[in-house]
Amino acid sequence: MISLILILVSIAVPLYNRAIQRAREAVLRQNLFTLRQVISQYTLDKQRAPLSLDDLVKAHYLRHIPVNPLSNQEDWLVEEEEDPIQQEREISDVRCGFNGTSSDGTPYESW
């Protein structure tokens, strides 16, 4: 009886861990989608891109900067471009700052 329970647990635990990892990756993809969408909305509305992610919160496009579900931190990699007119570095894109490989084999930093 105990051996049967141990076999079932040894099957269930890896499945559970994979399900948790896939759920975190789904939240990460949604957070990246939201951040990119809000950066685009801000850029269209203000006629210039935000200078930082905090600008999105200050302008009420976000209530708070989402947390990366893999690291539980706001460790986003921000890609910036130089604005030739205002000569400031503006955000052009945001990516995951977590080192590692996703369940589909791609590095998180490429998302």
Side-chain angles (χ1 to χ4, degrees):
M1 181 70 166
I2 292 178
S3 62
L4 181 62
I5 292 172
L6 289 174
I7 291 170
L8 291 174
V9 167
S10 69
I11 293 171
V13 169
L15 293 174
Y16 174 76
N17 288 337
R18 272 188 256 142
I20 294 295
Q21 186 64 22
R22 282 193 220 117
R24 287 183 178 146
E25 290 176 357
V27 171
L28 174 62
R29 287 184 189 273
Q30 182 62 43
N31 286 350
L32 286 168
F33 176 81
T34 300
L35 284 169
R36 289 173 176 147
Q37 186 178 22
V38 169
I39 289 169
S40 295
Q41 290 172 348
Y42 182 100
T43 304
L44 289 172
D45 291 346
K46 308 284 186 184
Q47 300 298 313
R48 68 176 190 85
L51 302 177
S52 70
L53 293 178
D54 289 329
D55 288 351
L56 300 172
V57 175
K58 291 175 188 172
H60 303 289
Y61 284 83
L62 292 171
R63 290 185 185 185
H64 56 85
I65 299 169
V67 174
N68 182 336
L70 301 175
S71 63
N72 291 322
Q73 298 178 4
E74 296 173 1
D75 58 351
W76 304 108
L77 295 176
V78 176
E79 293 182 13
E80 298 176 326
E81 292 181 357
E82 183 79 29
D83 180 4
I85 297 171
Q86 297 180 4
Q87 296 191 353
E88 294 178 319
R89 300 200 54 82
E90 298 177 336
I91 295 176
S92 61
D93 195 12
V94 65
R95 294 182 293 127
C96 176
F98 185 77
N99 290 330
T101 306
S102 67
S103 58
D104 67 1
T106 59
Y108 290 117
E109 293 176 340
S110 70
W111 286 13

